[in-house]
Amino acid sequence: MTKVRAKKFLGQHFLTDEGIARRIVDSLAPESHHVLEIGPGMGVLTKYLINRPDTDFHVVEIDRESVAYLHDHYPTLDVIEGDFLKLDLNALFNEPYAIIGNFPYNISSQILFRVFECRNQVGEVVGMFQKEVAERVAEKPGSKTYGILSVLLGAFFEARYLFTVHENVFNPPPKVKSAVIRLTRNNVTHLECDEQLFVQVVKAGFNQRRKTLRNALRSAGLPVDAVPEETLAKRAEQLSVGEFITLTKTIQQCI
Ligand code: SAH
């Protein structure tokens, strides 16, 4: 079967460098035995994952043409044809699983929000994002790129920026640089505050990130009376995960 034609609307940029493909697959922790690959395309990562020892391995691919290609080249592979964002992950695995991929960049944030929602099942994420998204996830407080996903994922995962990837190792090349990151689940099972409110507070803070927390939280309708003056004068990007938890606990008492 001939190669898959790259479709822009599906974020298809096929990796052509085998060394990088192997490096991504080798970044998975050896103890990850249940693995889901998102968007395998023509299988540049898949072919290394198939032979991984002791691995229960599945792939999810939305593109029909890629699915046909995978069936042709990897007849024993379990290919789920569909949208990762709509996949019932609990039906697929009973155990914690790892997610891997050279991800479709048009849905990067949605993939990461899904990882956050499924945080009690996802043990690890290894994969390629646009460099800017990768940096944002791995960012520490105080920087301009530190944002909602840095805090939400930071509460439950250890993020590590692994390496940068140049655009010319893809066909077609994307407009931006890429980077591979690894998220490893930490041992926090529950935050010491209401988790839904935590998400609301983080989003409210960053949705108006130039404003002080006093204004940002107030305009989201959250009660700030019990919050110390010192915190209210700060902006969201200055708060660590721990400080967001403390802030949420204080707000919680007034609701
Ligand atoms: N992993 C391959 C392809 C990367 S391009 C490589 O490295 O060469 C991104 C892939 O994600 C494409 O195959 C695209 O069809 C697939 N994709 C896009 N949106 C998707 C979705 N919502 N669910 C599953 N796969 C998706």
Side-chain angles (χ1 to χ4, degrees), residues 88-123:
D88 180 0
L89 293 162
N90 289 331
L92 200 58
F93 296 105
N94 300 318
E95 315 253 348
Y97 50 86
I99 292 177
I100 190 166
N102 168 15
F103 300 117
Y105 295 171
N106 52 335
I107 56 165
S108 298
S109 300
Q110 293 168 74
I111 291 174
L112 289 165
F113 276 111
R114 194 85 209 284
V115 166
F116 173 72
E117 282 165 21
C118 300
R119 57 190 174 273
N120 290 328
Q121 289 89 47
V122 178

Side-chain angles (χ1 to χ4, degrees), residues 145-252:
T145 48
Y146 179 72
I148 296 174
L149 281 168
S150 334
V151 179
L152 298 186
L153 291 171
F156 295 98
F157 293 88
E158 206 62 61
R160 184 116 186 247
Y161 187 99
L162 299 181
F163 56 93
T164 307
V165 180
H166 195 274
E167 48 273 38
N168 65 11
V169 298
F170 298 92
N171 184 21
K175 290 209 177 68
V176 291
K177 292 221 179 321
S178 302
V180 177
I181 57 170
R182 177 171 53 221
L183 298 171
T184 308
R185 187 71 172 80
N186 63 20
N187 53 16
V188 174
T189 50
H190 298 286
L191 300 184
E192 286 166 35
C193 64
D194 181 301
E195 293 183 4
Q196 269 180 332
L197 186 62
F198 173 75
V199 175
Q200 222 182 318
V201 168
V202 172
K203 286 187 175 172
F206 283 104
N207 280 342
Q208 295 183 300
R209 61 183 296 147
R210 285 162 180 277
K211 293 197 176 172
T212 60
L213 283 167
R214 175 187 289 102
N215 290 332
L217 297 175
R218 258 196 200 146
S219 66
L222 292 162
V224 297
D225 297 348
V227 181
E229 197 51 39
E230 194 198 338
T231 308
L232 291 177
K234 288 187 177 170
R235 281 175 291 146
E237 66 198 39
Q238 296 171 278
L239 259 54
S240 65
V241 172
E243 288 169 319
F244 266 112
I245 293 172
T246 308
L247 173 62
T248 306
K249 272 202 279 193
T250 313
I251 292 177
Q252 205 170 319

Side-chain angles (χ1 to χ4, degrees), residues 8 73 124 133 137 145 184 234:
K8 207 173 172 182
H73 286 73
E124 186 184 23
V133 172
V137 173
T145 48
T184 308
K234 288 187 177 170

